Amino acid sequence: MRITDLEVVPIAFRDPPLLNSSGVHEPLALRCVLRLHTEDGVVGLSEGPGDRASLDRLAAVRESVRGMSVFATTLIARAVDAALPGAREVDRAAAFSLIEVACLDVQGKVLGLPVSELLGGRVRDAVPYAAYLFYKWAGHPGEADDEWGEALDPDGIVRQARRMIDAYGFGSIKLKGGVFPPEQEIAAIRALRAAFPEHPLRIDPNCAWTPETGRRVAEELDGVLEYLEDPSPGVDGMAAVARAAGMPLASNMCVHSFGTLAPAVARGAVHVVLSDHHYWGGLRRTQHLATLCEAFGLGLSMHSNSHLGISLAAMTHLAASIPHLGYACDTHYPWNAADDVVVPGALRFEDGAVPVPTGPGLGVELDEAALARLHRAYTESGRQVRDDTGYMRRFRPDFDPALPRW
Ligand code: GKR
Ligand code: MG
């Protein structure tokens, strides 16, 4: 079955003022939905980044994949590489990922099989996700407070965790750090430990700490964290923390593509790789990553960025198919679920886990009205890139995004 066109629809959906080491989330997050059209009229779906550069790369590969079989994903990957000469590995992989997921959706629809079956079958019926906590403002400046309210200290973080866990049932917790001096974030982790004694805990400051600070935090939180994510920049920084840390170090920043894996392994810089099919080159390549992690004695978890239900479905099929994936996956979904483009019903959380959709393909259906509304929001916003730093500077002009900060 041949591809007749790639229809890329950029969208913008509401996002709360979530803080991180580079600034704060803007009121709208950018994303795109791909509708992959085929000669038989079957349409495959996928979701990915919506910034200008990603959209341009998709436009650049559009002609090359027209006429190719949806089953020939290896050949499609080669065509994408050839259409993007000079692009970084991670960017070529991201462009291919969007197409691969949509091809798998078509394959599943044609064969009457869920994507998890195409990936070899599911080893778990539901995929556990973690409560992904953020320091945040009560609302975007100039707007009413959002439903989550403010979280700028340990009490606020515990309140947020309770609310999210009550609503979704999550059994693990991740805190996005790198926002306040490490002592305050250590206090938040300790408050979470006291409030949720059984929940595995992680913190991710996105490289906001020097290796010396990273070592100190690791020492203070020894026995408290299941893993420490990206404490310090680069393979050298991570390796320096890893030598002293009692807990595993995880990364989606110093390891983010196949080319970055070997140097990190050689230096003992990372113990848990945070996969993300959106930039590791799709679902099958992420399965290959899992095999490599197993071979090198590394753990495997899953990273996320602001996303909607098509991505959640793909993440869930993938995670269900990987025996080696031993941690609850990250997801931003609770922050953005209200604006989903997927028809309700196929995706739900039960005790913090998403049951693997059983319908053909990804098992989700596009809500056309929602898609049109979010596309309008994208067009009217005039936004082209994510700019957490620029948005933060509108309110804190002296904000300096340089890392490491502490
Ligand atoms: O959404 O602010 C955010 C996160 O910081 C995100 O951009 C990161 O890519 O969640 C991610 C991470 O684990 O580093
Ligand atoms: Mg991270």
Side-chain angles (χ1 to χ4, degrees):
M1 182 181 291
R2 315 236 152 241
I3 299 171
T4 51
D5 200 9
L6 303 184
E7 182 192 353
V8 178
V9 184
I11 57 174
F13 50 84
R14 284 169 296 162
D15 205 15
L18 308 178
L19 298 159
N20 59 31
S21 64
S22 53
V24 57
H25 286 208
E26 294 161 90
L28 291 173
L30 306 183
R31 204 92 177 134
C32 75
V33 169
L34 170 65
R35 270 195 288 224
L36 182 142
H37 295 273
T38 62
E39 58 191 350
D40 290 20
V42 182
V43 177
L45 297 176
S46 64
E47 178 192 328
D51 58 286
R52 187 70 261 155
S54 299
L55 300 178
D56 287 347
R57 280 189 288 271
L58 288 167
V61 306
R62 186 173 173 191
E63 283 312 316
S64 330
V65 301
R66 217 193 279 273
M68 297 188 80
S69 162
V70 294
F71 290 93
T73 49
T74 303
L75 303 184
I76 292 174
R78 292 180 68 178
V80 167
D81 284 352
L84 296 172
R88 297 182 309 158
E89 178 194 351
V90 69
D91 292 331
R92 284 183 276 118
F96 170 64
S97 170
L98 210 76
I99 301 169
E100 188 240 25
V101 171
C103 284
L104 289 169
D105 189 34
V106 172
Q107 291 179 26
K109 284 169 173 163
V110 171
L111 298 169
L113 294 173
V115 164
S116 58
E117 295 257 336
L118 302 176
L119 298 177
R122 53 177 196 266
V123 294
R124 45 188 76 88
D125 292 334
V127 170
Y129 286 88
Y132 196 158
L133 310 181
F134 280 82
Y135 289 105
K136 70 179 287 295
W137 297 334
H140 284 286
E143 292 181 15
D145 292 359
D146 60 43
E147 53 168 333
W148 294 94
E150 182 178 274
L152 297 172
D153 57 18
D155 285 351
I157 288 294
V158 169
R159 247 191 335 270
Q160 187 187 98
R162 212 169 282 294
R163 184 187 172 103
M164 202 178 271
I165 287 168
D166 283 351
Y168 291 86
F170 293 120
S172 300
I173 297 176
K174 164 170 170 170
L175 174 62
K176 174 59 57 177
V179 174
F180 293 112
E183 289 64 34
Q184 291 181 39
E185 299 190 349
I186 291 170
I189 290 290
R190 291 199 188 288
L192 286 168
R193 170 48 69 240
F196 302 93
E198 305 298 334
H199 281 62
L201 301 175
R202 324 162 183 167
I203 184 167
D204 174 14
N206 285 120
C207 300
W209 303 333
T210 64
E212 195 187 340
T213 304
R215 282 198 296 268
R216 183 163 53 77
V217 177
E219 195 181 321
E220 292 211 32
L221 292 179
D222 197 16
V224 182
L225 296 180
E226 75 170 335
Y227 58 66
L228 173 58
E229 186 173 328
D230 285 313
S232 301
V235 171
D236 289 345
M238 290 289 283
V241 180
R243 278 195 293 277
M247 71 285 281
L249 293 200
S251 182
N252 59 275
M253 295 180 77
C254 98
V255 174
H256 48 69
S257 50
F258 288 96
T260 58
L261 192 55
V265 172
R267 301 289 308 280
V270 173
H271 311 111
V272 178
V273 175
L274 290 151
S275 64
D276 185 328
H277 75 267
H278 300 93
Y279 57 77
W280 278 89
L283 307 189
R284 291 219 174 94
R285 283 193 187 168
T286 306
Q287 290 185 306
H288 298 163
L289 169 66
T291 307
L292 288 177
C293 287
E294 217 172 336
F296 285 110
L298 302 173
L300 185 73
S301 188
M302 192 184 279
H303 162 267
S304 79
N305 253 314
S306 307
H307 68 91
L308 298 177
I310 301 174
S311 279
L312 183 65
M315 290 155 73
T316 301
H317 282 284
L318 173 62
S321 77
I322 300 181
H324 187 57
L325 204 150
Y327 299 93
C329 301
D330 289 357
T331 179
H332 286 57
Y333 192 69
W335 299 111
N336 308 114
D339 267 354
D340 206 355
V341 285
V342 157
V343 173
L347 296 169
R348 64 184 186 284
F349 284 81
E350 279 172 17
D351 298 329
V354 176
V356 185
T358 49
L362 291 173
V364 294
E365 202 188 320
L366 203 48
D367 175 340
E368 295 291 344
L371 183 72
R373 182 171 53 76
L374 298 191
H375 178 58
R376 243 186 345 266
Y378 170 85
T379 310
E380 287 167 4
S381 76
R383 295 256 321 282
Q384 301 270 317
V385 292
R386 171 178 173 176
D387 184 10
D388 294 12
T389 303
Y391 185 53
M392 174 63 102
R393 281 182 166 158
R394 280 168 48 186
F395 314 106
R396 313 255 194 286
D398 58 344
F399 178 76
D400 178 4
L403 299 175
R405 191 164 300 139
W406 291 283

